[in-house]
Amino acid sequence: MSWSAQQYTTFEKERTRPVRDLLNAVDMESPRRAIDLGCGPGNSTEVLAERFPGAAILGFDSSADMIDAARRRLPRLQFDLGDIQTWNAPEDDPGGFDIILANAVLQWVPNHDSLMPRLMRALSDGGSLAVQMPDNLEEPAHQLMRQMASEPRFAGKLSTAAGSRQARVDATWYYKLLRPHATRVDVWRTTYHHVLSGGTDAIVEWFKGSGLRPFLAPLDPVEQQAFLADYRAALIDAYPVMADGSVLLPFPRLFVVAVR
Ligand SMILES: C[S@@+](CC[C@H](N)C(=O)[O-])C[C@H]1O[C@@H](n2cnc3c(N)ncnc32)[C@H](O)[C@@H]1O
């Protein structure tokens, strides 16, 4: 289930806005070191570097394609390949990060109950963990993916696809988890209504770069085309095309800033 930098960046403007909103809520004068976990093609890292120009910034991602794209985009920053599940702060500087950013990635990483406290321990005193995750599993676009995956013609290959995303937990769950490890926890939820000028096709393209990947990867090319055609047809009722040819894609997202 590899990530494609090219597919992901198709909607970069829309996908990058939440990280600006997230980092605007990080109240810190001059952080020394920051890391962008799940940095993707470097779009979130670029926002981090703009917001905190004095910080030494590291990007980290498990996709070689994403890391290559990030290095091309921001050649002066360091980008490392690896998995967040096994990531730890360097042993010689275990609590050395002033900011740990994880924008639009932890929904793909399991065991938040142990992961989040581990990330908090990698922060300096007063440092911030800044996390944003899509909270859209109950939106029609995701319900329709799961519904189609359960149909007999796809169910054999897609029985585990929906499990790639972490089950949804709410703001209270994160507050209770992080509060013992933090001096302050700020949690909020926002619904962006993205205007997609390409109509229904644009919704399909959007999710091909993210949520659809585990549903398409197990299928052969013919099956992928069949799945996408039926998915597109199902989206038309759920996301009506407006008079100007665009569709509105409501997209709820959960934000957490926890200060150590
Ligand atoms: C939706 S993109 C987010 C990119 C960027 N942070 C942004 O704000 O747009 C998710 C990224 O997380 C990476 N990723 C997913 N699971 C990961 C893991 N377990 N460890 C490290 N990176 C991971 C993917 O390779 C992908 O680049």
Side-chain angles (χ1 to χ4, degrees), residues 1-5 8 12 15-16 18-19 36-45 60-64 66-67 81-87 101-110 132 134 209-210 213:
M1 196 184 57
S2 65
W3 283 82
S4 157
Y8 186 71
E12 185 174 293
R15 293 200 203 273
T16 303
V19 72
D36 183 8
L37 296 176
C39 61
N43 54 318
S44 47
T45 325
F60 183 88
D61 201 285
S62 57
S63 154
M66 290 294 197
I67 287 288
L81 187 64
D83 194 319
I84 293 168
Q85 290 187 62
T86 50
W87 179 83
L101 169 66
N103 188 62
V105 59
L106 295 188
Q107 72 276 15
W108 301 106
V109 183
Q132 181 275 123
S210 54
R213 292 174 321 100

Side-chain angles (χ1 to χ4, degrees), residues 164-186:
S164 303
R165 273 275 292 265
Q166 294 312 293
R168 183 177 177 272
V169 279
D170 65 9
T172 309
W173 190 91
Y174 285 106
Y175 183 87
K176 287 182 177 170
L177 173 69
L178 286 163
R179 187 65 184 94
H181 307 276
T183 56
R184 186 169 69 84
V185 182
D186 184 10

Side-chain angles (χ1 to χ4, degrees), residues 39-43 45-46 49 57-59 66-80:
C39 61
N43 54 318
T45 325
E46 191 169 75
I57 291 174
L58 175 67
M66 290 294 197
I67 287 288
D68 283 348
R71 285 180 179 146
R72 282 195 302 276
R73 179 180 191 138
L74 299 165
R76 300 211 312 213
L77 301 188
Q78 182 184 339
F79 289 94
D80 290 345

Side-chain angles (χ1 to χ4, degrees), residues 112-184:
H112 286 194
D113 49 351
S114 56
L115 172 68
M116 297 262 184
R118 181 157 59 81
L119 297 181
M120 290 301 291
R121 286 194 290 276
L123 288 172
S124 57
D125 285 341
S128 289
L129 171 66
V131 174
Q132 181 275 123
M133 292 168 285
D135 193 10
N136 61 346
L137 288 178
E138 301 315 316
E139 291 296 303
H142 272 273
Q143 288 186 358
L144 290 169
M145 272 176 226
R146 295 195 295 271
Q147 197 177 308
M148 285 185 47
S150 68
E151 289 176 9
R153 65 204 161 122
F154 297 120
K157 287 191 176 180
L158 298 185
S159 59
T160 60
S164 303
R165 273 275 292 265
Q166 294 312 293
R168 183 177 177 272
V169 279
D170 65 9
T172 309
W173 190 91
Y174 285 106
Y175 183 87
K176 287 182 177 170
L177 173 69
L178 286 163
R179 187 65 184 94
H181 307 276
T183 56
R184 186 169 69 84

